[in-house]
Amino acid sequence: MPYYEKSEDWLHQSALLLQARPQTTRVTTSYSLRPAIRPSKAEKLAAKEARRAKESTINSKSTNSTTSKTSTTPAASTTEEPPKDATAAAQKPPRGHLVLKTFDPHSGVCLKYKTSKAAEVGRLIQMLGQLGRRMAALPVDEAKEASAAQVQAQGGDVVMGDAAEEGTAAAGSGTATPAAGGASTPAATGAGGAGGGQGKKKKKGKR
Amino acid sequence: MGHLTHGEFFSKLTELFDYRKNQDHGTINLVQKRLSYNTTTTTDKTDPLADLNPSTSLPVLIRATNAKGKDRRKEKVKLSTVVEPADLEAFYGRYADVCKKGMGALKPRDRTKRKKQSRKKKPAGVGAGGTSMMAIP
């Protein structure tokens, strides 16, 4: 099954599934860690090294005297490799991600949502709580939930988009407002340019 | 295996998360479902849709494992607890706290992206500013 883009969609569909099959549906939250540098890459590098070493040993087999040296050097290089990876891994903490899955074994329906943002955890657990209420067959005031979901939709995920756009908006306003100020002030066109400059300086100060 | 009390469950769950913090890989699985094992209220034979509208509210079963497979049965940690309907809100409050603290490897809300964006925009803006600055004197 594909993942849902928004957690609200996942919640909505999960709630519907839970309503249809309250007895068998289960919600799994899977939190998994993965090293920042994937072992596959490191392994690939190691494999490359090994291949090179093999080739070199094959090449050097024609000259019998160097075989011992070449056999020692690849070993040395391989011993050097892991510490590099280890230091890189130490620099970059392991990545984690969270997968929410609603599964009903009877109908085989599986709904998923995946995220890697820590900011979402609280909201997602809250959603689990809402689903838990449904599981417990407690009365759910749907209007409240729907409104909450809407608020979340407006104030939660969409805000993330807004936040991303905020930079552009701020940049736009930063350039636009000083120019307007320059036009209104009697300090004429030169001041307008200066105002723009000041605006930019202010922005620098903010950062 | 018996179910734990909420306090025990949370303390063990934090242990589980802490253990995971010291590693660079691995998974923790949390499952929740309606507890329907020993309930006598449902009578499926008379009414196939009896479970849709149960007369009384039912407890919720919460499980947590460290996702170890059969070949590592000895390392497997299995926790479970039963939440009564009345305790749901209190339970999820604590649950959220524990999970927030435990899931430390998720991306924090970072502002570096915005900075990068503004930096990208800066050169153009600075260029314009430079011309205006040139014009001022």
Side-chain angles (χ1 to χ4, degrees):
Chain A
M1 280 291 283
Y3 290 93
Y4 282 100
E5 291 270 312
K6 284 184 178 177
S7 54
E8 283 79 26
D9 294 343
W10 174 83
L11 175 67
H12 180 63
Q13 298 295 331
S14 301
L16 291 179
L17 177 61
L18 209 55
Q19 201 177 355
R21 300 207 178 244
Q23 204 74 27
T24 50
T25 302
R26 63 171 182 251
V27 180
T28 308
T29 312
S30 179
Y31 167 70
S32 27
L33 288 177
R34 190 188 289 163
I37 291 178
R38 290 184 189 174
S40 60
K41 260 190 184 176
E43 278 167 16
K44 273 179 193 170
L45 279 175
K48 259 190 186 178
E49 287 280 317
R51 235 178 277 155
R52 276 180 197 168
K54 266 189 185 176
E55 281 171 11
S56 64
T57 50
I58 288 162
N59 291 339
S60 58
K61 264 183 185 174
S62 56
T63 58
N64 292 329
S65 60
T66 51
T67 45
S68 60
K69 278 181 188 175
T70 47
S71 63
T72 53
T73 44
S77 69
T78 47
T79 47
E80 276 170 22
E81 276 298 308
K84 269 185 193 172
D85 292 340
T87 50
Q91 283 166 2
K92 271 194 175 183
R95 289 267 181 82
H97 60 265
L98 199 62
V99 176
L100 298 181
K101 183 169 84 171
T102 316
F103 179 59
D104 170 36
H106 275 205
S107 58
V109 178
C110 181
L111 313 166
K112 278 184 173 181
Y113 175 72
K114 184 177 182 180
T115 186
S116 59
K117 289 175 193 160
E120 275 188 292
V121 174
R123 208 178 331 138
L124 294 175
I125 301 288
Q126 198 191 336
M127 289 180 179
L128 289 183
Q130 287 177 15
L131 293 178
R133 272 186 82 82
R134 285 173 184 275
M135 280 175 188
L138 284 172
V140 183
D141 33 353
E142 292 198 3
K144 193 182 169 185
E145 205 166 273
S147 68
Q150 274 183 358
V151 166
Q152 279 168 2
Q154 286 165 358
D157 285 353
V158 181
V159 154
M160 301 303 282
D162 285 350
E165 286 167 28
E166 214 174 79
T168 63
S173 66
T175 52
T177 45
S184 63
T185 47
T189 55
Q198 276 174 1
K200 259 149 209 162
K201 271 175 194 170
K202 267 185 193 171
K203 264 168 55 187
K204 274 178 197 170
K206 271 180 192 172
R207 274 155 217 159
Chain B
M1 129 174 200
H3 301 303
L4 305 169
T5 64
H6 292 185
E8 283 173 350
F9 178 79
F10 282 123
S11 64
K12 294 231 172 152
L13 187 61
T14 43
E15 266 177 39
L16 202 62
F17 275 123
D18 285 343
Y19 177 69
R20 192 54 79 215
K21 262 180 201 168
N22 302 326
Q23 292 186 321
D24 65 342
H25 67 282
T27 306
I28 289 175
N29 283 341
L30 309 166
V31 183
Q32 64 178 37
K33 72 190 289 284
R34 175 182 286 184
L35 183 68
S36 57
Y37 181 58
N38 266 337
T39 50
T40 51
T41 51
T42 53
T43 50
D44 286 355
K45 284 169 189 171
T46 53
D47 181 10
L49 296 177
D51 61 334
L52 289 185
N53 292 308
S55 51
T56 57
S57 50
L58 294 154
V60 177
L61 175 67
I62 311 271
R63 290 199 193 107
T65 73
N66 59 353
K68 294 287 180 200
K70 262 186 186 173
D71 51 337
R72 296 192 190 173
R73 198 33 73 74
K74 280 180 187 172
E75 295 171 48
K76 182 144 187 166
V77 178
K78 285 162 90 177
L79 312 172
S80 66
T81 189
V82 174
V83 187
E84 294 298 326
D87 309 334
L88 266 179
E89 285 193 14
F91 179 85
Y92 275 99
R94 285 182 72 185
Y95 198 42
D97 284 343
V98 170
C99 289
K100 271 187 215 164
K101 276 177 195 163
M103 298 175 182
L106 297 175
K107 260 188 251 167
R109 193 190 286 271
D110 67 343
R111 294 164 212 288
T112 51
K113 215 176 194 180
R114 265 188 247 171
K115 274 185 188 174
K116 269 180 196 170
Q117 278 180 351
S118 57
R119 262 178 213 161
K120 270 178 196 170
K121 264 158 210 166
K122 244 188 192 175
V126 165
T131 54
S132 67
M133 291 289 265
M134 292 291 278
I136 293 158

